[in-house]
Amino acid sequence: MDDPRGRMTKDGIRIHEAADFAGMHAAGRLAAEILDEVAPLVAPGVTTGELDDFIRTRVELAGAKSATIGYRGYQHASCISVNHVVCHGIPGPKLLKDGDILNIDVTVIVDGWFGDTSRMYVAGSLSRKAERLVQVTHDALMKGIDAVRPGATFGDIGHAIQTYVEAQRMSVVRDFCGHGLGRVFHAPPNVLHYGRPGTGPRLEEGMFFTIEPMVNLGRPETKVLADDWTAVTRDKSLSAQFEHSVGVTADGCDIFTLSPAGRFHPTW
Ligand code: MF3
Ligand code: CO
Ligand code: CO
């Protein structure tokens, strides 16, 4: 899509203007609100399709658009990834059972701006090992966000996430990454959740992107199922993910998808 304002770096990363942050806040807030509102519905006996129906209706009610419906043939307002599903789980008739952990990922378009966020939920009671995975994944995202400021590199973000996760003896998924966004869903750069300090493009004020680490209890390898979407851990180990959309400010990071209810972390 053509964007007349702002400029582009040599790596093809758009530098947005100060006024553009407001658009991203509106889109990010709606996506985060929807994730807040779906929380009380997550319970054993509920299907992932029912959760998606709620999300689809809620996006319409807000007068917004789902970015995922019609995206490369995808038909749903969310991705719902249960247990060993790493990402891009397709909502459907699958019944949640006690102890299931799930990521719900929503992307909305508000006035042309994209808000993309996901977080973890539990149906019923959380096992100790799932709780640890969810906590480490959440904290890994926050360590990545702590590395966001002008002059840092994308490798610094990946390194902060990877070193933390691997110190907990868990693994970072390599097959999927975060992405630039703004008035488009997926733009440069690829935001890797692993890497070496000082490598990759340098962050500049006005860059908008997601950080969305996927962490596995077992090995990092994934495979995509025959539906061409659902990505699972090859070793069937549990996987978790959290995602925020952020912007680089003069002195750090602006998180567009903060939970208005303070419910981003699953132990609210
Ligand atoms: N929201 C996902 C992301 O974080 C993308 C989902 S695309 C879909 O980038 F088609 F699978 F919905
Ligand atoms: Co994303
Ligand atoms: Co997403």
Side-chain angles (χ1 to χ4, degrees), residues 116 179 186 210 212 243:
D116 185 5
H179 48 94
H186 292 112
T210 72
E212 47 182 299
E243 175 177 25

Short mmCIF file of all heavy atoms in Angstrom, two decimals, residues 116 179 186 210 212 243, ligand 2:
data_model
loop_
_atom_site.label_atom_id
_atom_site.label_comp_id
_atom_site.label_asym_id
_atom_site.label_seq_id
_atom_site.Cartn_x
_atom_site.Cartn_y
_atom_site.Cartn_z
N ASP A 116 -2.08 -5.44 16.54
CA ASP A 116 -1.82 -6.89 16.53
C ASP A 116 -1.31 -7.29 17.91
O ASP A 116 -0.25 -6.82 18.33
CB ASP A 116 -0.79 -7.18 15.43
CG ASP A 116 -0.50 -8.66 15.21
OD1 ASP A 116 -1.16 -9.50 15.84
OD2 ASP A 116 0.40 -8.94 14.38
N HIS A 179 7.16 -8.60 13.12
CA HIS A 179 7.12 -7.92 11.83
C HIS A 179 6.84 -6.44 12.00
O HIS A 179 6.17 -6.04 12.97
CB HIS A 179 6.02 -8.55 10.96
CG HIS A 179 4.71 -8.71 11.68
ND1 HIS A 179 3.71 -7.76 11.63
CD2 HIS A 179 4.25 -9.67 12.54
CE1 HIS A 179 2.69 -8.15 12.38
NE2 HIS A 179 2.99 -9.31 12.96
N HIS A 186 1.86 -6.79 7.58
CA HIS A 186 3.20 -7.37 7.69
C HIS A 186 4.16 -6.62 6.78
O HIS A 186 4.00 -6.64 5.57
CB HIS A 186 3.18 -8.86 7.33
CG HIS A 186 2.42 -9.70 8.32
ND1 HIS A 186 1.23 -10.31 8.02
CD2 HIS A 186 2.67 -10.01 9.61
CE1 HIS A 186 0.79 -10.98 9.09
NE2 HIS A 186 1.64 -10.81 10.07
N THR A 210 5.96 -5.51 15.70
CA THR A 210 5.52 -6.41 16.76
C THR A 210 6.74 -7.16 17.31
O THR A 210 7.74 -7.36 16.62
CB THR A 210 4.52 -7.48 16.28
OG1 THR A 210 5.20 -8.44 15.47
CG2 THR A 210 3.37 -6.85 15.48
N GLU A 212 6.82 -10.89 19.26
CA GLU A 212 5.84 -11.95 19.54
C GLU A 212 6.52 -13.31 19.73
O GLU A 212 6.26 -14.25 18.98
CB GLU A 212 4.79 -12.00 18.43
CG GLU A 212 5.31 -11.97 17.01
CD GLU A 212 4.16 -11.97 15.98
OE1 GLU A 212 3.38 -12.93 15.97
OE2 GLU A 212 4.07 -11.00 15.20
N GLU A 243 2.32 -11.35 22.39
CA GLU A 243 2.63 -10.38 21.33
C GLU A 243 2.15 -8.99 21.70
O GLU A 243 1.00 -8.81 22.10
CB GLU A 243 1.96 -10.80 20.02
CG GLU A 243 2.13 -9.78 18.89
CD GLU A 243 1.52 -10.24 17.57
OE1 GLU A 243 0.58 -11.07 17.59
OE2 GLU A 243 2.00 -9.76 16.52
CO CO B 2 2.05 -10.24 14.57
#
